[in-house]
Each structure stands twice: as structure tokens, then as C-alpha cells.
Amino acid sequence: MENKEEDVRLGANKFSERQPIGTAAQTQDKDYQEPPAAALFDPDELASWSFYRAGIAEFIATFLFLYISIMTVMGVSKSDSKCSTVGIQGIAWAFGGMIFALVYCTAGISGGHINPAVTFGLFLARKLSLTRAFFYMVMQCLGAICGAGVVKGFQKHLYQSKGGGANVVNGGYTKGDGLGAEIVGTFVLVYTVFSATDAKRSARDSHVPILAPLPIGFAVFLVHLATIPITGTGINPARSLGAAIIYNQKPAWDDHWIFWVGPFIGAALAALYHQVVIRAIPFKSK
């Protein structure tokens, strides 16, 4: 019994319950390495094969994402009854599941963004250079256009008659409603991306890097469940652009600005919240 009491006393001294707060917490020794901020412009990247390989990975991933997700939308749209198809839940699973799979496949090559809003948020947090961010966005948009184009090539009449998977603000909702839904939905996604790829969590929880694609894909799934009735769910400007260009009808272009402005605002807010509030990085001592 005496030995047990001694163990308890030593444990209490070693692991104090009193946690430092405020500036005291910021001066504690770290058991992780905060990655340095990326340069705004890094000309050396342009001479690196890994830079172009990453862009190609983003192109292929966004191509596959649009192909599977829009093909699923078309499959649901062609039926008179959603009960005979995978329905809205199936569409949400197609988007979320593909993001899960593609982030898993490409995270080690390009970071697995597959979304200009995610790239924008990570750029604001200085996780990548402006050069790489711009290149990623271009490749993502090109991949999305090609993915939607292949779907139309398989079923042209159905694609044009059923809206081509293009994002529009649905009846009963205002443009303000659509913009708000896109801002909040993208905030959820980008905030999840920051949390899942946090250097502090990755160092302390060995399972975090392995499971990172899962919460990201699940966030996409949940946001789609919530906002498909409002906008069809964009939260990804490349996805919205690809479908709009291939569909190329007036309704898609009337609301198209919402699917760029909303996601970019949501991504900026998520970056600000995670970096300033959650991690308090601007206030930490060097």
C-alpha cells in the first residue's frame, strides 16, 4: 500500500493538473515543429518537377471528382422517383466519398486540395506560395471542365435536359440565402482541412495523418446533405465552373458568382479562425 501511495505522489508531481494559460502557455517547450511560412513567390518551384507533378495530380483528382459526382447527379436526375435511385443521400456520399478517396491518394503529392477554396485558405495561412496556389487553381479548373465534359459526352441529351449538375440557387431561396449557405458550407470544409492537417495534432497523435482524409470527406458529405436543397452545394469553385461551362445555359451563369464569392469568403474566415483564434499563431513568441 505504501508503494502505491508513493507512486501516486510521484505521478502528481510529474503531471501537474495546473495548466499554463495566456502568454505562459506560449513559452512552453514544444514537442512539435511548426512548419515555416511559405514564400510569397518562390521562383525555384518553377524549375522543379515536383511542382508540375503536383499540378498534374490536382488536375487528375479534380477530373475524377467531377466525373464520379456529376455522373451520380445525372443518374438521380433521370429517374422520375428518387426512391428508385441513390437519392440526395447518395449524391452527398458520392461527393464526400470521392473527396475522401482522392485526398488519400494525392495528399502526399500535392496536398490533395482538389478545390480552389481550400487552396485559397491554405495560401492565406502561408501554407503554400502564390505561384503554387495559382497553378493549383488553374489545374483544378481545367480538370473540372474535362470531368464534366466526359459526363456530357456519355449522355449529352440527359446532361442538357437535367441541368448538367450545374449549381444554381433553387426556387424558394434568395441569392443571399445561396451566398450564406456557400460561405458557411465552405467554412466547415476548410476548417476541417486545417484541423485534420494541423502540425501540432499530427505530432502528438500518430493516427491523425492517416485519418486526415476521413474527416475532410465526411465534412463534404454533411455539407452536401445540408445545402443540396439550397444551391446543389458548390463549396468548390472548380466544381461549379466545370459544370457551368459544359452545361452553358443562362441559369447557371446568373448565379455563378455566388459559387466563387461564397467559397472564397468561407475559406478566408476559416483560415482566420484557425490561425488566429484556435492556434493563436500571430501571438506566439518566436
Side-chain angles (χ1 to χ4, degrees), residues 129-147:
S129 67
L130 177 61
T131 315
R132 186 174 290 265
F134 178 76
F135 184 48
Y136 277 14
M137 290 182 189
V138 170
M139 297 301 280
Q140 289 158 0
C141 289
L142 291 175
I145 293 168
C146 293

Side-chain angles (χ1 to χ4, degrees), residues 96-263:
M98 277 305 289
I99 288 296
F100 167 60
L102 294 169
V103 170
Y104 176 81
C105 292
T106 60
I109 302 171
S110 65
H113 298 188
I114 321 169
N115 184 337
V118 171
T119 300
F120 180 66
L122 293 173
F123 164 70
L124 292 180
R126 301 293 300 279
K127 303 293 185 183
L128 70 165
S129 67
L130 177 61
T131 315
R132 186 174 290 265
F134 178 76
F135 184 48
Y136 277 14
M137 290 182 189
V138 170
M139 297 301 280
Q140 289 158 0
C141 289
L142 291 175
I145 293 168
C146 293
V150 170
V151 175
K152 183 177 179 179
F154 284 162
Q155 41 195 5
K156 184 174 182 178
H157 175 71
L158 176 65
Y159 188 90
Q160 290 300 122
S161 63
K162 296 298 183 179
N167 292 120
V168 298
V169 178
N170 293 319
Y173 297 96
T174 66
K175 293 184 186 297
D177 295 333
L179 181 63
E182 290 296 307
I183 291 173
V184 175
T186 311
F187 179 93
V188 172
L189 169 60
V190 178
Y191 178 39
T192 303
V193 169
F194 273 106
S195 298
T197 58
D198 193 313
K200 184 176 182 180
R201 294 190 63 211
S202 297
R204 295 179 178 178
D205 301 321
S206 60
H207 63 277
V208 169
I210 300 172
L211 294 181
L214 181 58
I216 296 170
F218 201 62
V220 172
F221 165 69
L222 293 174
V223 171
H224 274 75
L225 285 182
T227 57
I228 281 176
I230 304 174
T231 62
T233 309
I235 67 171
N236 183 334
R239 173 260 186 272
S240 300
L241 179 66
I245 285 179
I246 300 302
Y247 179 55
N248 198 28
Q249 298 294 319
K250 188 176 183 297
W253 294 118
D254 286 344
D255 299 332
H256 188 67
W257 64 272
I258 291 172
F259 303 101
W260 283 86
V261 175

